[in-house]
Structures are given as structure tokens and as C-alpha cells.
């Protein structure tokens, strides 16, 4: 039995959870999310808790797969409940001379030292805000109720200029430490 899967998911006030036809739906003040659940996992909703258990009668090709599904779907349901009640927020920092970010609604423009600007159309589930203050690195603040979508968008934005280890330039998360390299030694002969 999965250690993560054994833990029940607490449903906070203002959040409703429904399970029908192997699809779990979570609604809350920040939005609505749904997720398919493999039939090898049984879902029970009662007393403000969601409990997931392995179905002993379900047959899978790999018997260990049920254990993996148990923990996976519990984590996904927990992320959905937290997302629709509190939401998720990621902050990206642009480190480099001339790097800029701006947005018009959900269309974001990035200037990252290339010969052209990069335009990204963000999905409507994601709210974006850009900040540019004098003598500080520009910030991109992304908010969403869907943790998976938010992480995917952050990874896509980051892929345009990954942080490099020599000068530390690139797009990084706020608070992220970049492992720096010293480069060539100055008088090695």
C-alpha cells in the first residue's frame, strides 16, 4: 500500500468534489478541475474527506502499478483541491542586460537578447503579471489553479534562456540558486 495514498485528502469549506465514471471533478472559488482515475483505484468521498484505495479485484499487467497509481492519484487529487481553494503562484526572474518582459492581457512579450522578440499566448486559466523596477531584474508572476499547467508554462518560458553557470544569465525562479563555475583560469600555462 502506498504511504502517500493512505493519507486522506481534506476538503476545505467552499470546495465540492464529485466522482462519476472514473473522473473526479473538483470545484472551488478559484476554478474547476477534473482528472481521470484508473479503475484500479477506488475513490470514496465522505465527511469532508476524499479517500483513495487500491481495488483488490482489478487486474493490471504489472502488480506494482497499482501501488504507483495509488500514490499518484492521491497526489493529483490533493493538488486539485489546493489549486481550486488557494491557487498556485510561480515567480520567474530575468537575469541579463537588456532582458525585458511585458504583457497585454494573456499575450506575453519577452526580449531575451535574440534578434527578435518572443511572443507567447498563455491559456485563459493562467493569470500573468510582469514587473519592471529600476535597478532590479524584471519579474514574471504567473498564477493558476492547475499546478501541472503552471509548471509546464514555466518550463516553456524558462527554455527560451536557461540559466547558464558562468555569468548566471537567463530565466530563473525567484530564490533559485544557480551553481556557478569559475571558467578558465587566468594564467594557466
Amino acid at each position: 500500500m502506498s504511504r502517500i495514498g493512505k493519507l486522506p485528502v481534506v476538503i476545505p469549506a467552499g470546495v465540492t468534489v464529485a466522482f462519476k465514471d472514473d473522473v473526479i471533478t473538483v470545484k472551488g472559488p478559484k476554478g474547476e478541475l477534473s482528472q481521470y482515475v484508473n479503475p484500479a483505484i477506488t475513490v470514496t468521498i465522505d465527511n469532508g474527506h476524499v479517500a483513495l484505495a487500491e481495488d483488490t479485484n482489478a487486474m493490471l499487467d504489472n502488480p506494482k502499478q497499482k501501488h504507483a497509481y495509488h500514490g499518484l492519484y492521491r497526489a493529483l487529487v490533493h493538488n486539485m483541491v489546493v489549486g481550486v481553494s488557494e491557487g498556485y503562484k510561480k515567480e520567474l526572474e530575468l537575469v541579463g542586460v537588456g532582458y525585458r518582459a511585458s504583457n497585454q492581457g494573456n499575450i506575453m512579450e519577452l526580449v531575451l537578447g535574440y534578434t527578435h522578440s518572443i511572443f507567447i499566448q498563455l491559456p485563459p486559466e493562467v493569470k500573468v503579471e510582469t514587473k519592471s523596477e529600476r535597478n532590479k531584474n524584471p519579474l514574471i508572476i504567473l498564477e493558476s489553479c492547475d499546478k501541472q499547467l503552471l509548471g509546464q508554462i514555466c518550463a516553456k518560458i524558462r527554455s527560451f534562456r536557461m540559466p547558464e553557470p558562468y555569468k548566471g544569465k537567463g530565466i530563473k525562479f525567484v530564490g533559485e540558486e544557480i551553481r556557478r563555475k569559475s571558467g578558465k583560469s587566468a594564467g594557466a600555462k
Side-chain angles (χ1 to χ4, degrees), residues 141-176:
I141 301 164
L142 299 165
E143 292 183 50
S144 179
C145 63
D146 191 348
K147 187 176 185 179
Q148 182 178 352
L149 178 66
L150 188 63
Q152 185 177 355
I153 289 171
C154 287
K156 181 66 179 172
I157 292 170
R158 218 175 120 97
S159 72
F160 294 123
R161 275 283 189 208
M162 292 293 288
E164 55 97 19
Y166 295 102
K167 294 181 181 176
K169 292 168 54 173
I171 302 173
K172 67 180 189 109
F173 290 106
V174 171
E176 179 184 8

Side-chain angles (χ1 to χ4, degrees), residues 34-105:
S34 59
Q35 172 68 45
Y36 168 79
V37 178
N38 193 293
I41 303 298
T42 59
V43 178
T44 55
I45 303 165
D46 60 327
N47 296 341
H49 289 75
V50 178
L52 285 85
E54 296 177 26
D55 188 359
T56 56
N57 299 329
M59 297 299 291
L60 293 173
D61 294 337
N62 185 354
K64 291 183 178 181
Q65 189 65 47
K66 261 196 270 189
H67 301 307
Y69 281 155
H70 193 195
L72 168 74
Y73 288 120
R74 190 270 177 200
L76 290 176
V77 169
H78 179 263
N79 289 344
M80 289 164 57
V81 168
V82 171
V84 298
S85 60
E86 301 168 20
Y88 290 100
K89 182 178 181 179
K90 297 266 187 181
E91 294 183 2
L92 295 167
E93 183 179 8
L94 281 68
V95 181
V97 176
Y99 289 8
R100 292 190 314 269
S102 61
N103 68 307
Q104 295 284 334

Side-chain angles (χ1 to χ4, degrees), residues 94 100-123 128 130 140 153 156-157 159-160 171:
L94 281 68
R100 292 190 314 269
S102 61
N103 68 307
Q104 295 284 334
N106 270 19
I107 297 176
M108 192 165 58
E109 178 185 5
L110 298 171
V111 178
L112 300 173
Y114 294 115
T115 57
H116 58 283
S117 298
I118 298 169
F119 291 92
I120 305 169
Q121 172 72 49
L122 298 175
V128 64
T130 54
I140 302 170
I153 289 171
K156 181 66 179 172
I157 292 170
S159 72
F160 294 123
I171 302 173

